[in-house]
Amino acid sequence: MTMIIKSHKHLPLMTSDTEMVLPVLPMRSGIVFPGEIDTVQIGRKGNLALMQTVSSADNLLVLSFAPKGIKAGSRSSLSQVGVLARVQSVKPAMGDSRMVTLEGVRRVALTAVKKSKPFLVASLAELDIPTDGHRQTKKRIAEIIELVSHLVLLDDRYTDEVTYTLEINKSAPATFADRVASIIHLQLSDKQEILETIHIPERLEFIIHLLKEEVEKISLSIQINKRVNRSLEKKKRDGFLRQQLMEIRRELGEEFVEADFSRHYQKQIKANRSLPASVASRLNFEAGRLKHLSSSSNEYGSTQNYLDLMLSLPWEVSKSPKYDLVEVEKVINTEYYGLERTKEQVLEYLAVRQMSKDTKDMSILCMSGAVGTGKASLVKAISKAIGLQFVRLNGTSLTTVEDIKGFNRTEIGSEPGQLVKAIKKAGSFDLVVYLEDMEYVIESEDSNALLALLEVVDPRHNIEFTDSFVGLPLDFSRILFVLGVSYIDEFPEPFAHRLELVEMPGYIEREKIAIAKKYILPKLYKRHGLTRTELRFSEKALTRIIRQYTMEAGLITLQQQLEKIFRKVTRKKASCRDCRHSLTDANVNEFLGTRQYIPEKAMQRPEIGVATGLAWTGAGGDLMMIEGLKMKGTGQVMYTGSLGEVMKESIQAAHSFVRARAETLGIDHNDFVNFDIHIHFPMGAIPKDGPSAGATVSLVVASIMAERPIRHDIAVTGEVTLRGKVLSVGGVKEKVSAAYRAGIYTIILPKENEKDLKNLPQEIARKTKFIFIENVDELFEKGLLEFTPSTYTLEKIFAEEIENARGRNKGADKRPGKKTRKKKSAK
């Protein structure tokens, strides 16, 4: 699909009785002005077909600048103002391409795209180009010629012929302006703006502005080059003088500090028995070079830094550490609170690494989950369990190849990569290195950074990893690398298939409370110098903080809110040492202020056209109330609530299935023709997508068409096919937890998701009733739609509400102490 980018300039379009329609050639690398002759190479099938059609007709076509390019299958853009051009010649070029010579004739405006295949065709409108009679025009032309003359003197790309060409055309201001725009090297966007400027005085003013910027930019560049050259000449002169000084000192027989340092390094190299022979040979060579260098030269400092680094690296060859898997499991269970499935996967990976004789083909361990879901905590637990030092590197420090592999020593200020620095600091190659926030590496401007990182962490390649600064192979296979990323979809395919993915789905409310009690609170007590008698937390207070002051899958915000409370209490302790504070459900707002989030609550009574769905979000699970309404119309289905394409298709499938089951549900088939249906998902500011609301939407459609309320004490999730099959969904643990928090203890799930319930906390699994379905028909058979249209209608609901209200008013008038019989509800 092709879009025309409207010009922000005022265009004097001319009206015509006949519509002019011509083929359009998108120009991506250049702009042709009226009166200019240019040759372009074309090779796309559509453009070749366009040239064949034009050559057999009147040789006329329109050239339009396409700023975003024309990509197959993508939405392309054309500029509204283009140039009517004539094809002068078409000659064969390399392959199937053609060299086409075009002559610009005049400006035209595109009004509409008529077709886009096999090539673009658009309708045109002529532009009423005014003749210039402005008295300032000559002055502007003279200023442009002066600026161009200055530009010719500064920039070697231009010759004196440029000024001569402009002098010839200065009698015709419009042609003059177009010639300047075509000759001077300007941005394509600026050239297009010149083309769109129809008013000649305005066009000349804009060209003057661009020329002044160009002259200023080139002048600044020349000044910078001169300064750099002067600096380089000074360095060469200083180096020459230092070399002469060294020769003079040598003739006089004076002692050299450089020779002393050289002997000092050679002694260190000889004393270091752990150095491999190749490394020792290289270091001796570098140490010998020191005596021939001046201590004030850059190369001397670089060589000294290199020797210091190499001698500080741990070259000892140690045996692979052995660990007892039973003890490893105990330590991980103690240090990390999380899913058993996650722990099992990690233990299996460590077992294979321990027992395998060849680890080259092992995959790379990768933790995937939202921020605060315990990725780093789990890696720390692994490090402690297997007895290796833990090193943590952030992806923001690994966004270029130089960050990973270091700089070449020939560059000024060169240094090793971040991995070598970490090894030097740790003093060992036997490490657990956690590379977190890998999305920064994936999204970095340096596309080779990810390939360099793969060379570091992949066991197939890292046994002889070469840092550019070190220049010698290093054995990184002794390091256990663990990657951390928010979403695994961000990894490109060549990298993703090498990963052993450990998914961290986030914590539910009960898990957050347990982690807060076991890990977060003890740490905060120690950090703030408080005791449990000075500050107490009830479980209800923690629950309220989680529900009303956080909205996340992890624990970052929870810890931040708890730290606020600790800081307030610590400050109060300074003025009142004997004070005791107890945090309960009632006084949380005194410490944290007004609640920041209002959790979704279950409905209080059955309603027609309202069902409770379940959604997975980046912050965990949540209820999703789905509303429906029918009204007189023509059978259309409307949906609102910032929905994605998958969810829209799911609504259509659910509607079609219910319509096909109309007779079973007691719905008149004509209602689907005489009524419109509106499905709405509240909280429209939040984008929603996915197929898991299909079963809930089916229930809503059936409810509004049959005028039967939906039970308010159940929640439903499941994808629906056009034949009514209910397919599995993701995020079951989070969805069930959301329903449990809201007080809904009956949940309908797809049959295929029965296996996912083993990861639920025991309290939720024990108290919640699960109903598994394979077909939408089972939804209606389970009695989720209450009553029948003949016995329970909207009118009856309203009548009962009025009657109940009257009864309450009468009861209020009776004397105190007199018992009144409560009227039983029809429900």
Side-chain angles (χ1 to χ4, degrees):
M1 186 171 179
T2 305
M3 176 183 69
I4 295 177
I5 303 175
K6 297 293 183 183
S7 173
H8 64 277
K9 304 279 187 182
H10 173 67
L11 301 179
L13 302 178
M14 298 175 65
T15 58
S16 175
D17 295 335
T18 59
E19 185 181 36
M20 182 167 34
V21 178
L22 284 176
V24 179
L25 178 64
M27 301 289 287
R28 292 184 296 162
S29 58
I31 295 175
V32 179
F33 285 87
E36 182 186 359
I37 296 176
D38 197 5
T39 301
V40 298
Q41 184 176 5
I42 62 172
R44 301 191 179 200
K45 291 183 179 180
N47 293 340
L48 292 173
L50 183 150
M51 281 301 155
Q52 188 174 0
T53 302
V54 170
S55 299
S56 61
D58 53 3
N59 285 339
L60 291 178
L61 74 163
V62 177
L63 306 178
S64 175
F65 176 53
K68 295 185 179 178
I70 305 296
K71 295 183 180 179
S74 66
R75 187 181 180 89
S76 55
S77 303
L78 296 174
S79 300
Q80 184 181 12
V81 178
V83 174
L84 181 67
R86 181 178 290 107
V87 180
Q88 289 193 345
S89 66
V90 180
K91 296 179 181 179
M94 187 181 297
D96 295 331
S97 64
R98 297 289 184 270
M99 300 299 295
V100 182
T101 302
L102 302 165
E103 178 187 6
V105 180
R106 62 180 181 274
R107 288 171 170 80
V108 291
L110 306 183
T111 56
V113 176
K114 294 297 183 182
K115 66 174 186 176
S116 56
K117 292 183 180 179
F119 51 82
L120 293 170
V121 176
S123 57
L124 316 174
E126 295 283 358
L127 295 170
D128 185 12
I129 301 177
T131 57
D132 180 63
H134 203 278
R135 53 187 174 180
Q136 296 292 328
T137 299
K138 290 184 178 180
K139 184 178 178 181
R140 293 189 179 100
I141 290 175
E143 186 177 356
I144 289 174
I145 292 175
E146 184 180 351
L147 287 169
V148 172
S149 301
H150 193 192
L151 196 61
V152 169
L153 293 174
L154 295 174
D155 197 339
D156 295 336
R157 294 179 297 176
Y158 304 109
T159 63
D160 294 335
E161 293 181 5
V162 173
T163 311
Y164 176 73
T165 302
L166 298 183
E167 288 282 357
I168 295 174
N169 292 283
K170 69 180 182 180
S171 58
T175 306
F176 175 84
D178 290 343
R179 291 298 293 159
V180 174
S182 62
I183 292 173
I184 304 302
H185 299 291
L186 300 173
Q187 296 287 336
L188 291 179
S189 58
D190 293 334
K191 288 193 174 189
Q192 177 61 29
E193 188 166 352
I194 293 172
L195 188 67
E196 294 177 2
T197 307
I198 308 301
H199 190 53
I200 295 174
E202 185 184 350
R203 196 187 310 172
L204 293 172
E205 283 291 341
F206 184 59
I207 290 173
I208 290 172
H209 169 72
L210 293 176
L211 286 173
K212 286 181 178 178
E213 284 187 347
E214 190 71 14
V215 169
E216 185 179 351
K217 181 174 68 176
I218 294 175
S219 300
L220 183 61
S221 177
I222 291 172
Q223 291 177 12
I224 293 171
N225 288 335
K226 286 181 179 178
R227 291 173 188 168
V228 171
N229 290 333
R230 283 198 296 268
S231 176
L232 291 174
E233 288 174 3
K234 184 178 183 301
K235 287 180 180 179
K236 289 180 182 178
R237 177 177 172 276
D238 292 347
F240 176 72
L241 292 175
R242 288 192 186 98
Q243 190 66 31
Q244 283 189 324
L245 181 61
M246 286 185 65
E247 293 299 329
I248 292 170
R249 290 171 61 190
R250 186 175 284 108
E251 288 295 327
L252 294 173
E254 294 181 358
E255 288 295 324
F256 288 90
V257 66
E258 293 86 353
D260 293 338
F261 270 109
S262 176
R263 287 192 293 270
H264 171 71
Y265 281 117
Q266 286 173 342
K267 287 181 181 178
Q268 281 189 303
I269 295 166
K270 188 175 181 180
N272 194 336
R273 302 286 184 181
S274 62
L275 287 175
S278 59
V279 176
S281 175
R282 174 68 179 271
L283 296 185
N284 277 316
F285 172 77
E286 296 292 340
R289 289 180 67 238
L290 279 182
K291 67 176 81 172
H292 302 293
L293 299 173
S294 171
S295 59
S296 57
S297 66
N298 289 330
E299 191 174 0
Y300 183 88
S302 175
T303 304
Q304 198 172 21
N305 291 339
Y306 178 75
L307 289 168
D308 289 337
L309 170 73
M310 297 296 284
L311 289 170
S312 64
L313 289 177
W315 295 102
E316 299 87 355
V317 178
S318 59
K319 294 182 180 180
S320 299
K322 299 293 182 180
Y323 39 83
D324 184 358
L325 288 174
V326 177
E327 290 298 320
V328 168
E329 184 175 0
K330 288 181 181 178
V331 174
I332 290 178
N333 286 332
T334 303
E335 298 293 325
Y336 174 74
Y337 187 97
L339 291 176
E340 291 300 322
R341 173 169 52 89
T342 301
K343 295 177 185 177
E344 287 175 7
Q345 189 175 358
V346 170
L347 289 169
E348 288 166 2
Y349 181 88
L350 295 176
V352 174
R353 182 181 173 87
Q354 170 85 315
M355 304 302 294
S356 177
K357 295 181 180 180
D358 185 7
T359 59
K360 287 184 179 179
D361 293 327
M362 284 198 68
S363 53
I364 306 158
L365 197 60
C366 179
M367 308 293 176
S368 172
V371 176
T373 52
K375 300 189 292 293
S377 299
L378 179 55
V379 181
K380 281 182 182 178
I382 294 171
S383 173
K384 185 174 181 179
I386 63 178
L388 297 181
Q389 192 173 343
F390 176 72
V391 174
R392 188 172 185 173
L393 291 176
N394 196 282
T396 53
S397 63
L398 302 169
T399 55
T400 65
V401 174
E402 289 75 17
D403 292 335
I404 300 167
K405 301 189 69 173
F407 292 85
N408 198 297
R409 283 181 56 203
T410 57
E411 299 180 26
I412 296 174
S414 59
E415 59 180 358
Q418 297 295 329
L419 276 303
V420 174
K421 287 181 183 178
I423 291 169
K424 176 188 173 183
K425 185 176 180 180
S428 173
F429 277 95
D430 297 317
L431 304 170
V432 174
V433 176
Y434 177 48
L435 306 177
E436 62 181 344
D437 297 334
M438 288 298 297
E439 51 267 22
Y440 291 105
V441 184
I442 299 166
E443 297 169 2
S444 66
E445 296 179 359
D446 191 346
S447 58
N448 293 321
L450 199 61
L451 297 176
L453 190 65
L454 181 61
E455 186 180 345
V456 171
V457 301
D458 194 339
R460 296 178 300 177
H461 305 117
N462 63 11
I463 192 169
E464 289 188 342
F465 172 76
T466 302
D467 184 276
S468 298
F469 184 83
V470 173
L472 293 169
L474 301 172
D475 185 7
F476 277 13
S477 64
R478 292 155 57 185
I479 301 173
L480 173 58
F481 287 101
V482 184
L483 307 182
V485 67
S486 296
Y487 301 102
I488 190 60
D489 296 339
E490 296 174 353
F491 271 108
E493 184 60 31
F495 208 128
H497 79 276
R498 292 289 303 147
L499 302 178
E500 170 73 23
L501 183 63
V502 179
E503 294 190 26
M504 316 287 280
Y507 299 109
I508 60 175
E509 185 178 289
R510 299 302 306 168
E511 291 173 336
K512 289 181 180 180
I513 293 172
I515 294 171
K517 289 181 176 179
K518 189 174 181 180
Y519 299 100
I520 299 177
L521 289 178
K523 180 173 63 176
L524 294 180
Y525 279 120
K526 184 177 180 181
R527 182 186 301 172
H528 293 83
L530 297 174
T531 63
R532 293 183 182 273
T533 57
E534 293 172 329
L535 176 60
R536 294 178 180 274
F537 286 86
S538 69
E539 185 165 321
K540 288 185 177 180
L542 291 174
T543 302
R544 186 176 177 189
I545 294 171
I546 293 168
R547 290 183 181 180
Q548 299 185 1
Y549 294 89
T550 69
M551 180 68 74
E552 59 177 349
L555 299 162
I556 298 295
T557 309
L558 174 60
Q559 181 168 330
Q560 291 171 351
Q561 298 295 347
L562 292 174
E563 284 176 346
K564 288 181 183 179
I565 297 171
F566 272 87
R567 287 196 296 269
K568 288 181 183 294
V569 174
T570 303
R571 182 184 176 188
K572 292 179 180 179
K573 181 181 177 182
S575 57
C576 179
R577 291 192 171 274
D578 297 329
C579 292
R580 300 290 183 266
H581 301 274
S582 180
L583 208 73
T584 63
D585 180 51
N587 65 356
V588 168
N589 58 339
E590 296 177 11
F591 290 87
L592 297 178
T594 308
R595 61 183 178 179
Q596 299 176 12
Y597 304 100
I598 301 175
E600 193 76 53
K601 294 182 179 179
M603 294 183 296
Q604 299 301 312
R605 54 167 296 165
E607 293 185 32
I608 293 176
V610 182
T612 304
L614 296 172
W616 180 92
T617 68
D622 203 358
L623 297 189
M624 181 169 59
M625 299 301 174
I626 303 176
E627 303 172 349
L629 193 68
K630 75 172 182 178
M631 50 212 156
K632 285 287 186 180
T634 58
Q636 296 183 11
V637 179
M638 295 173 283
Y639 28 76
T640 52
S642 188
L643 311 181
E645 290 300 321
V646 176
M647 187 166 279
K648 291 177 182 178
E649 293 171 1
S650 182
I651 293 172
Q652 293 285 2
H655 174 264
S656 298
F657 178 79
V658 174
R659 186 173 182 178
R661 293 290 191 274
E663 187 174 346
T664 306
L665 296 169
I667 304 171
D668 189 349
H669 281 285
N670 293 327
D671 287 353
F672 286 97
V673 179
N674 299 328
F675 290 92
D676 291 341
I677 296 176
H678 186 167
I679 303 296
H680 178 65
F681 291 72
M683 294 185 291
I686 302 174
K688 309 169 190 70
D689 204 0
S692 63
T696 319
V697 173
S698 301
L699 205 55
V700 171
V701 174
S703 171
I704 58 178
M705 296 307 292
E707 295 186 352
R708 295 163 64 182
I710 302 171
R711 282 179 55 183
H712 67 289
D713 57 347
I714 56 100
V716 184
T717 184
E719 179 183 353
V720 171
T721 69
L722 199 58
R723 296 176 299 162
K725 299 291 184 183
V726 180
L727 306 181
S728 64
V729 295
V732 171
K733 175 187 170 186
E734 290 80 5
K735 292 177 179 179
V736 170
S737 176
Y740 182 82
R741 286 198 309 267
I744 297 177
Y745 304 120
T746 303
I747 301 174
I748 296 179
L749 296 171
K751 180 69 174 176
E752 296 177 8
N753 285 114
E754 189 172 1
K755 62 183 185 300
D756 298 321
L757 299 185
K758 63 181 181 180
N759 296 322
L760 289 178
Q762 293 183 358
E763 178 185 344
I764 296 177
R766 184 174 60 253
K767 196 170 182 180
T768 305
K769 177 184 178 182
F770 296 100
I771 300 174
F772 300 100
I773 60 173
E774 296 179 332
N775 196 289
V776 179
D777 288 328
E778 297 178 50
L779 278 176
F780 312 131
E781 294 169 3
K782 302 293 182 183
L784 304 186
L785 293 178
E786 296 191 342
F787 316 106
T788 62
S790 59
T791 62
Y792 203 81
T793 62
L794 282 174
E795 289 79 3
K796 191 164 184 178
I797 293 173
F798 297 145
E800 284 185 2
E801 288 183 347
I802 294 170
E803 187 65 27
N804 290 336
R806 287 174 178 170
R808 287 193 296 271
N809 291 335
K810 287 180 180 180
D813 295 335
K814 292 184 180 293
R815 294 191 305 273
K818 188 173 181 180
K819 294 184 179 180
T820 58
R821 281 181 62 188
K822 288 187 178 179
K823 195 172 183 180
K824 284 189 178 181
S825 171
K827 297 180 186 179

